[in-house]
Amino acid sequence: MYDSILVPTDGSDTAQTAVDHAVDHAKRYDAALHTLYVVEEPPMDETAGPEVLESLESAGERAIQDVIDAAEAADVGTVEGKVAEGAPHQAILDYIDANGIDLVVMGTHGRTGLDRLFLGSVTEKVVRAAPVAVLTVGSESAD
């Protein structure tokens, strides 16, 4: 049913729940698993130095490695990871197009009301614009 699955991650607990689902789907369908961490640009005000960007990229590499380790532990055959820069939803949409992704598995933070209105949602933007199926996974400890 699926050949290539993408799980974007930010290293959070909510993202880890999505990783668990993505790994399960990749194993079930013998699909390649892709993972993506996006460093939002600009990630800081103009006075911050390049070490802040390097720190964010290092955090991304660790989050990607965690997904790769989980997939390898589950015997998922093909796993690819990438750290990208830009607007998170657009980087995800670009990755979908560039890599022939069939399914995206993303966590949701479960925000409602004004929090959702003011903060927006990367997941919501991807759901609205993605040309493929998007499986949204709520946090298991959602309030």
Side-chain angles (χ1 to χ4, degrees), residues 37-87:
Y37 181 99
V38 182
V39 175
E40 190 166 3
E41 286 191 343
M44 74 296 293
D45 66 49
E46 294 177 13
T47 62
E51 60 276 353
V52 174
L53 183 58
E54 290 173 14
S55 176
L56 291 170
E57 289 172 348
S58 292
E61 291 292 341
R62 286 190 302 275
I64 293 297
Q65 191 59 52
D66 288 346
V67 175
I68 291 170
D69 292 346
E72 289 176 350
D75 292 324
V76 171
T78 303
V79 186
E80 296 183 31
K82 179 180 179 183
V83 175
E85 296 178 4

Side-chain angles (χ1 to χ4, degrees), residues 2-27:
Y2 303 110
D3 294 321
S4 295
I5 298 171
L6 172 63
V7 60
T9 185
D10 61 5
S12 68
D13 290 341
T14 301
Q16 185 56 49
T17 302
V19 168
D20 295 342
H21 283 270
V23 167
D24 182 59
H25 276 67
K27 186 161 180 71

Side-chain angles (χ1 to χ4, degrees), residues 61-130:
E61 291 292 341
R62 286 190 302 275
I64 293 297
Q65 191 59 52
D66 288 346
V67 175
I68 291 170
D69 292 346
E72 289 176 350
D75 292 324
V76 171
T78 303
V79 186
E80 296 183 31
K82 179 180 179 183
V83 175
E85 296 178 4
H89 73 282
Q90 191 58 55
I92 293 165
L93 293 169
D94 291 346
Y95 193 94
I96 291 167
D97 290 340
N99 294 279
I101 301 298
D102 304 307
L103 173 67
V104 180
V105 181
M106 296 183 72
T108 65
H109 290 284
R111 292 187 183 106
T112 59
L114 291 176
D115 282 347
R116 184 173 153 269
L117 179 65
F118 289 124
L119 296 174
S121 166
V122 172
T123 302
E124 184 175 355
K125 290 174 184 174
V126 172
V127 166
R128 291 181 186 275

